[in-house]
Amino acid sequence: GAVVSQHPSRVICKSGTSVKIECRSLDFQATTMFWYRQFPKQSLMLMATSNEGSKATYEQGVEKDKFLINHASLTLSTLTVTSAHPEDSSFYICSASHRSGGEQYFGPGTRLTVT
Amino acid sequence: AQSVTQLDSQVPVFEEAPVELRCNYSSSVSVYLFWYVQYPNQGLQLLLKYLSGSTLVKGINGFEAEFNKSQTSFHLRKPSVHISDTAEYFCAVSGPSGNTPLVFGKGTRLSVIA
């Protein structure tokens, strides 16, 4: 149990376009989802926290107008990178937790390459 | 605020030798502690977690970790490593709720040498 999926696993897009990444909890209801970003050979950095039905809370330095997060249901959150630039190229990982707390379940990640 | 320090960025070790990956944390509240493993171009896989109870936690793939509150440490150990254990290992801490994000250490690259 507690499986989280991400789609797509890999995406290449042109500079200036927008890309949407989906994060789904497959067998549980995720009251909270988190979006992380990982640069090569570095740790995961939290971008934002989203609670179902509420606006996401962004970490300092993360542009909320550039990284749009929607958590419309208890099983789906989306991250849209708007007007992508090469410096947005990274590995994006989501995680989800449910009411009982304590543990987050991670998706397999999405590799974004902006050319 | 919470923080995690992984003292070693890289740890090379020979196959079948024991290994310890060190992790120290700081927090003003009670915490949950985790170790994750990440293989190249993949997401994170949970190795083990400490939420409460026994301070010695056993995880998957023969790994274990010991929570030491007085030393604010949560070191990961394995008595005999395999080539397949070569990966990046992350220690993480969160507050006592599923709604608090994880704070990760910078990671330790474990390289197992044949």
Side-chain angles (χ1 to χ4, degrees):
Chain A
V3 179
V4 176
S5 69
Q6 275 184 248
H7 178 78
S9 58
R10 205 176 268 275
V11 58
I12 301 172
C13 70
K14 291 184 184 292
S15 188
T17 62
S18 295
V19 173
K20 180 185 282 189
I21 302 170
E22 292 186 348
C23 176
R24 291 181 186 274
S25 56
L26 299 184
D27 51 3
F28 68 101
Q29 292 187 327
T31 51
T32 305
M33 287 186 169
F34 304 90
W35 286 95
Y36 297 85
R37 182 174 181 176
Q38 186 181 32
F39 289 107
K41 298 190 186 301
Q42 293 189 30
S43 189
L44 282 76
M45 298 300 294
L46 179 69
M47 297 176 67
T49 302
S50 74
N51 293 297
E52 184 263 339
S54 305
K55 287 186 178 180
T57 302
Y58 290 81
E59 294 300 297
Q60 192 171 10
V62 178
E63 299 175 59
K64 61 181 179 182
D65 294 331
K66 180 171 185 60
F67 298 99
L68 302 178
I69 292 172
N70 184 286
H71 191 165
S73 78
L74 284 171
T75 59
L76 173 65
S77 176
T78 60
L79 167 67
T80 301
V81 183
T82 62
S83 187
H85 292 288
E87 57 264 31
D88 298 325
S89 298
S90 190
F91 195 51
Y92 292 87
I93 304 176
C94 73
S95 70
S97 67
H98 49 63
R99 293 184 200 280
S100 58
E103 183 172 351
Q104 295 175 26
Y105 304 95
F106 283 83
T110 296
R111 171 77 58 194
L112 170 63
T113 303
V114 184
T115 61
Chain B
Q2 297 150 344
S3 67
V4 177
T5 302
Q6 289 184 245
L7 296 161
D8 306 297
S9 60
Q10 295 186 61
V11 173
V13 63
F14 286 104
E15 194 174 16
E16 297 183 7
V19 70
E20 178 180 84
L21 306 183
R22 296 181 292 170
C23 173
N24 287 88
Y25 70 93
S26 67
S27 176
S28 56
V29 298
S30 59
V31 296
Y32 293 161
L33 293 156
F34 306 84
W35 275 99
Y36 289 89
V37 60
Q38 186 179 35
Y39 298 101
N41 295 310
Q42 294 187 30
L44 298 179
Q45 181 180 7
L46 180 67
L47 280 176
L48 48 79
K49 61 187 176 186
Y50 172 79
L51 304 182
S52 65
S54 173
T55 57
L56 182 62
V57 180
K58 293 190 183 297
I60 62 171
N61 301 342
F63 284 94
E64 64 179 34
E66 185 156 18
F67 170 58
N68 188 319
K69 189 174 181 180
S70 62
Q71 296 187 4
T72 60
S73 68
F74 190 56
H75 300 332
L76 181 71
R77 302 185 184 99
K78 185 169 182 177
S80 175
V81 296
H82 301 291
I83 295 289
S84 59
D85 292 323
T86 295
E88 192 82 21
Y89 291 80
F90 293 98
C91 180
V93 61
S94 77
S97 164
N99 296 328
T100 57
L102 287 164
V103 175
F104 286 88
K106 293 191 174 183
T108 297
R109 173 73 181 174
L110 174 64
S111 298
V112 181
I113 306 161

